[in-house]
Amino acid sequence: MPPKNCAICNSARAILKRPKTGQLICKDCFFYVFETEVHNTILEAELFKPGDRVAIGASGGKDSTVLAHVMKTLNDRYNYGLELFLLSIDEGITGYRDDSLETVKRNQEQYDMPLKILSYDELYGWTMDAIVAQIGKKNNCTFCGVFRRQALDRGAAILDVDHIVTGHNADDIAETVLMNIMRGDIARLGRCTSICTQGEDTIKRSKPFKYAYEKEIVMYAYFKKLDYFSTECIYSPDAYRGHARAFLKDLEAARPSAIIDIIHSGEAFEIKEVVKATQKLQQTCKRCGYMSSNELCKACTLLEGLERGMANAGVTDRARKRMDAEGPAPENLRTIPFFQQPNGLRRTEIAIAYTPSS
């Protein structure tokens, strides 16, 4: 069968088939349409304004590495006027995160962006290796997810940025919709497809890759020869998300549009007022000052359980009641540093806290 020309430029030889659309296109046209689609997503959602300081959540993996490259490309091409930073969280996973952070440090030099690395150890006094040693691999992703979210906000506050962008792609969002349906988590189902979220006490964060397929991100990284770390987290094989991911891949094989269809379905869900009325109001954690729907935020509850040798107290209600029955937390309990709202930080405080390469 003779080679076909690109469906877009109709001159160069097509070398790839877009998973998202099925088009046969050349490499240069693929780069252009991928970047343009992300640019259009940014414009339609009005994610940024000139002068914004934006932190890119950088793990060294394909999604965040491509995001850093594309954000720099679009910022230069369309004059967004953004000041870009790399923000990495070191969970303390030997043989995984320590290696991926070396990739992030190379990305810092390649993209000429300041880098801030904040570790679980310095923030919580625990690494994921230590947490897994105590709790095992069954619920470790609960700890990591809660701790990482707060660590990102705290790192962003240190950098004094206006905005955090993460590499969550269309597959990730579709998986989250499926997970919330399977768990009956109506509260999260109502907001999991939002491209941008912001609480009163947190920094705005968004997902420029909301409509970008994971396969196309991989293809972009491959053909651009980007420097990224490809090993999966050693503690994630037992994660609940894996079941939703496997199901989604089967759906995609039968119908490639399934990913976007699920996202659009999630966007169309309307939560009844009676359900909204049962949702807890957001408040501030009395111990660390971070946003919470209870007196103690989830991170403080998890940390207290770890410190008291009852790690599951932050995971199950039964274990929590058992810990409460043992009395109040000791006065010398290790706690998370008090969280200052980003707009409360002064430039002088940030200058002291911020080190460009650590």
Side-chain angles (χ1 to χ4, degrees), residues 65 72 103 105-112 226-227:
T65 301
K72 180 175 177 60
T103 304
K105 291 173 184 176
R106 293 195 299 272
N107 292 159
Q108 175 193 11
E109 297 177 358
Q110 293 158 357
Y111 304 139
D112 191 26
L226 300 185
D227 183 4

Side-chain angles (χ1 to χ4, degrees), residues 283-294:
Q283 53 185 300
T284 301
C285 176
K286 67 178 183 180
R287 186 174 293 170
C288 77
Y290 192 69
M291 68 171 183
S292 175
S293 56
N294 298 295

Side-chain angles (χ1 to χ4, degrees), residues 190-220:
R191 60 179 184 266
C192 68
T193 58
S194 298
I195 191 171
C196 184
T197 57
Q198 182 177 24
E200 293 179 1
D201 301 322
T202 57
I203 295 169
K204 180 179 179 181
R205 65 171 70 196
S206 62
K207 312 176 189 77
F209 284 172
K210 177 182 176 179
Y211 299 113
Y213 276 33
E214 181 179 41
K215 287 180 179 177
E216 298 205 347
I217 292 173
V218 173
M219 291 167 66
Y220 187 94

Side-chain angles (χ1 to χ4, degrees), residues 5 53 73 116 139 149 176 211 278-279 297 342-343:
N5 285 344
R53 294 164 60 87
T73 299
K116 172 64 186 175
N139 292 308
R149 179 173 182 82
T176 303
Y211 299 113
T278 64
Q279 297 177 17
C297 71
N343 59 11

Side-chain angles (χ1 to χ4, degrees), residues 185-312:
D185 196 334
I186 303 302
R188 285 192 176 89
L189 185 59
R191 60 179 184 266
C192 68
T193 58
S194 298
I195 191 171
C196 184
T197 57
Q198 182 177 24
E200 293 179 1
D201 301 322
T202 57
I203 295 169
K204 180 179 179 181
R205 65 171 70 196
S206 62
K207 312 176 189 77
F209 284 172
K210 177 182 176 179
Y211 299 113
Y213 276 33
E214 181 179 41
K215 287 180 179 177
E216 298 205 347
I217 292 173
V218 173
M219 291 167 66
Y220 187 94
Y222 173 78
F223 286 113
K224 280 283 186 180
K225 295 181 170 57
L226 300 185
D227 183 4
Y228 68 94
F229 186 76
S230 58
T231 302
E232 291 292 326
C233 176
I234 59 176
Y235 296 139
S236 67
D238 298 323
Y240 182 65
R241 179 175 288 272
H243 301 292
R245 179 175 294 125
F247 179 52
L248 184 64
K249 294 305 178 188
D250 289 341
L251 290 177
E252 184 188 10
R255 181 187 173 95
S257 66
I259 294 173
I260 291 296
D261 292 342
I262 289 172
I263 293 175
H264 289 327
S265 297
E267 291 170 335
F269 281 129
E270 184 175 345
I271 309 301
K272 291 183 179 179
E273 292 299 323
V274 66
V275 175
K276 292 180 181 178
T278 64
Q279 297 177 17
K280 295 181 179 179
L281 295 175
Q282 182 176 299
Q283 53 185 300
T284 301
C285 176
K286 67 178 183 180
R287 186 174 293 170
C288 77
Y290 192 69
M291 68 171 183
S292 175
S293 56
N294 298 295
E295 284 192 352
L296 287 185
C297 71
K298 189 68 171 178
C300 281
T301 303
L302 291 170
L303 181 59
E304 181 179 342
L306 288 169
E307 290 291 313
R308 297 177 66 174
M310 304 176 71
N312 279 322

